[in-house]
C-alpha cells in the first residue's frame, strides 16, 4: 500500500526518480508541538491512519521532502527536468521560511513564478532551480503551531498540555501545571533545549526549587534525557501504536532535542511507556482474577476454572492455568454443527505460556468461539485438563468430530480411559 501511494506522489508531482528522491513525513501532534515521523512502509502508514481515527482529526498533514540524487551525468545535482505538476513547475524566487509550508501549498502560492523545463540548457537557470528546490524542503523543526490551520489545531486539542507549553516557552509567573511530574518534565525539556543542566535545591509536593547550571553540554548525549523522560515524551505515540519502532523513538528525540540516545535507552523507554499505559506484567497477572470475576458477574453463566499452586501464605497462590467459556458460546453451541477445532498458540511477553482455543462451526460454516485456556505448556496434563473442562461445563454432546494438529499432548489426552472423548 505504501509503495502504491509513493508511486502516486511521484506521478502527481511529476518528479523524475533519476534525479530526486521523495521522502514522506506525517506531522504528528505532541503536547504543544508537532514532530515529523517518517512514512517508510505499510506499518508506518497504518499508524498514521490509526492516529487520525483515534485523535478525531479531520486530516493528517503529510510533507514531502525532496532529496537530490547524485548522478554521474553532466547535469546539476539538484535539477529536476521532468517536474511538471499541472503542466508547470513553480519554484520560489527567494528562499522563504518553509517550516510549515506543505508541498501543495507551495505550488499554489502566488509568489512562486513559473519556470519552463526547457531552461535546463541554461546553467544559471539550473543553479537557481537547484537552490529553490533545496530551499523549499520543509524544516524538521516543526514547533510553530501558530502557522497551522486552526481547524487542525482544534481537532488535536486533546494532545495539548495546560497552557500549550513547548520547549521553546519561557517560564512566567502564574503558569499552572497539572502535576509536579509535568512541571519536572517541562523543566527538563527547557534545560535540554538550551543545552544546559540544573540542580534541585528543594522538592516537595507543593514546592520545587531548582538552580540553573551554566555551561553547554559538549557530549552527544544529554544527561537529562533519561529513559523515564523519553517514556513520557513518547507516551502518546505508544498509546496510538504500541508497535511504534525503537528506531522511530531515536528519530523523535534527535529531531526534537538535537541529542542522540542509545538504542538500549530508547528500548527501555518504550517498555516503561507501555507499562505506564497498559500496566506491567506483574500487575496484569494480579488483575487477571478480578477481570475474569467481572466477566462472570456481567455474563451470568460464564464458566471460569482456576488451577493454582498454594504457598505458605494462604492469601497468595502461584498461577498455573485458567479456563473460561462465555455463556453465549455455551448456549449457542447446541445449534452448531457437531464439530470442534482445537489448537494452541504461543503467548509472547515476559511470561511465556500457551493459549488453548476450542472453536465450533455454525450452520453458516462460520467459526464459533467456544472455550479458552491459558496454560504453561501443551503437555498431556494441560490438554487433558482443558478437554475435561469442555466436557464437564461446555458440551456433553456425543459423536463430536474433533479436528487438531495431532499434537502428542492432544492424542494422549484423547486416548485416556474415561476422558469422554
Amino acid at each position: 500500500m505504501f509503495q502504491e501511494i509513493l508511486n502516486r506522489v511521484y506521478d502527481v508531482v511529476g518528479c523524475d526518480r533519476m534525479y530526486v528522491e521523495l521522502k514522506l513525513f506525517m506531522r504528528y501532534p505532541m503536547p504543544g508541538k508537532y514532530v515529523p515521523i517518517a512514512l517508510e512502509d505499510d506499518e508506518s502508514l497504518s499508524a498514521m491512519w490509526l492516529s487520525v481515527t483515534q485523535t478525531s482529526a479531520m486530516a493528517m498533514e503529510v510533507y514531502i521532502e525532496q532529496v537530490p540524487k547524485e548522478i554521474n551525468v553532466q547535469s546539476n545535482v539538484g535539477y529536476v527536468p521532468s517536474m511538471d505538476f499541472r503542466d508547470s513547475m513553480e519554484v520560489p524566487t527567494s528562499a522563504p521560511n518553509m517550516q510549515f509550508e506543505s508541498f501543495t501549498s507551495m505550488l499554489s502560492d502566488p509568489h512562486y513564478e513559473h519556470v519552463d523545463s526547457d531552461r535546463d540548457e541554461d546553467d544559471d537557470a539550473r543553479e537557481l532551480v537547484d537552490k529553490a528546490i533545496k530551499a523549499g524542503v520543509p524544516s524538521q523543526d516543526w514547533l510553530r503551531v501558530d502557522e497551522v490551520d486552526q481547524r487542525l489545531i482544534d481537532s488535536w486539542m486533546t494532545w495539548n498540555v495546560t497552557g500549550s507549553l513547548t520547549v521553546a516557552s519561557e517560564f512566567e509567573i502564574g503558569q499552572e501545571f497539572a502535576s509536579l511530574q509535568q512541571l519536572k518534565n517541562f523543566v527538563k525539556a527547557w534545560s535540554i533545549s538550551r543545552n544546559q543542566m540544573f540542580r534541585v535545591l528543594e522538592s516537595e509536593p507543593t514546592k520545587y526549587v531548582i538552580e540553573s547550571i551554566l555551561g553547554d553540554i559538549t557530549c552527544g548525549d544529554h544527561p537529562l534525557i533519561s529513559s523515564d523522560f523519553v517514556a513520557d515524551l513518547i507516551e502518546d505515540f505508544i498509546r496510538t501504536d504500541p508497535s511504534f519502532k525503537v528506531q522511530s523513538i531515536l528519530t523523535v528525540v534527535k529531531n526534537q532535542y538535537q541529542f542522540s540516545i542509545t538504542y538500549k535507552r530508547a528500548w527501555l523507554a518504550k517498555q516503561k511507556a507501555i507499562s505506564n499505559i497498559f500496566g506491567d506484567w506483574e500487575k496484569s497477572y494480579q488483575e487477571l482474577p478480578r477481570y475474569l470475576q467481572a466477566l462472570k458477574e456481567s455474563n451470568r453463566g460464564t464458566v471460569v476454572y482456576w488451577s493454582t499452586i498454594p504457598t505458605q501464605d494462604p492469601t497468595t497462590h502461584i498461577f498455573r492455568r485458567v479456563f473460561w467459556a462465555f455463556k453465549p458460546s455455551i448456549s449457542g453451541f447446541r445449534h452448531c454443527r457437531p464439530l470442534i477445532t482445537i489448537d494452541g498458540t504461543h503467548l509472547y511477553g515476559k511470561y511465556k505460556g500457551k493459549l488453548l482455543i476450542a472453536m465450533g462451526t455454525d450452520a453458516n460454516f462460520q467459526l464459533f468461539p467456544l472455550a479458552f485456556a491459558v496454560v504453561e505448556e501443551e503437555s498431556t496434563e494441560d490438554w487433558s485438563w482443558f478437554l475435561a473442562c469442555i466436557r464437564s461445563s461446555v458440551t456433553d454432546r456425543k459423536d463430536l468430530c474433533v479436528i487438531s494438529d495431532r499434537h502428542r499432548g492432544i492424542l494422549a489426552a484423547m486416548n485416556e480411559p474415561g476422558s469422554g472423548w
Side-chain angles (χ1 to χ4, degrees), residues 311-317:
T311 65
Q312 294 181 349
D313 182 355
T315 64
T316 302
H317 290 254

Side-chain angles (χ1 to χ4, degrees), residues 162-187:
T162 304
S164 298
L165 299 173
T166 71
V167 295
S169 302
E170 292 290 345
F171 287 102
E172 298 177 359
I173 296 176
Q175 278 183 343
E176 295 183 358
F177 298 85
S179 64
L180 177 60
Q181 185 60 46
Q182 186 186 75
L183 171 60
K184 290 180 177 179
N185 287 341
F186 183 74
V187 171

Side-chain angles (χ1 to χ4, degrees), residues 230-249:
V230 178
D232 289 332
L233 176 67
I234 64 173
E235 189 167 301
D236 287 334
F237 291 96
I238 302 300
R239 182 177 285 106
T240 301
D241 179 15
S243 64
F244 194 67
K245 294 181 179 179
V246 174
Q247 191 61 46
S248 297
I249 297 175

Side-chain angles (χ1 to χ4, degrees), residues 28-29 48-60 152 154-159 236 240:
Y28 199 92
M48 183 184 72
W49 303 141
L50 186 62
S51 301
V52 173
T53 58
Q54 293 197 357
T55 60
S56 301
M58 293 178 292
M60 177 69 72
L152 294 179
D154 293 340
S155 68
W156 286 331
M157 284 303 293
T158 55
W159 298 86
D236 287 334
T240 301

Side-chain angles (χ1 to χ4, degrees), residues 130-146:
D130 180 42
K131 291 180 179 179
I133 291 175
K134 293 180 179 179
V137 177
S139 168
Q140 297 293 307
D141 184 20
W142 296 353
L143 300 178
R144 294 174 55 186
V145 181
D146 57 307

Side-chain angles (χ1 to χ4, degrees), residues 307-323:
S307 176
T308 59
I309 302 173
T311 65
Q312 294 181 349
D313 182 355
T315 64
T316 302
H317 290 254
I318 300 175
F319 174 83
R320 188 178 182 186
R321 55 197 178 203
V322 62
F323 169 95

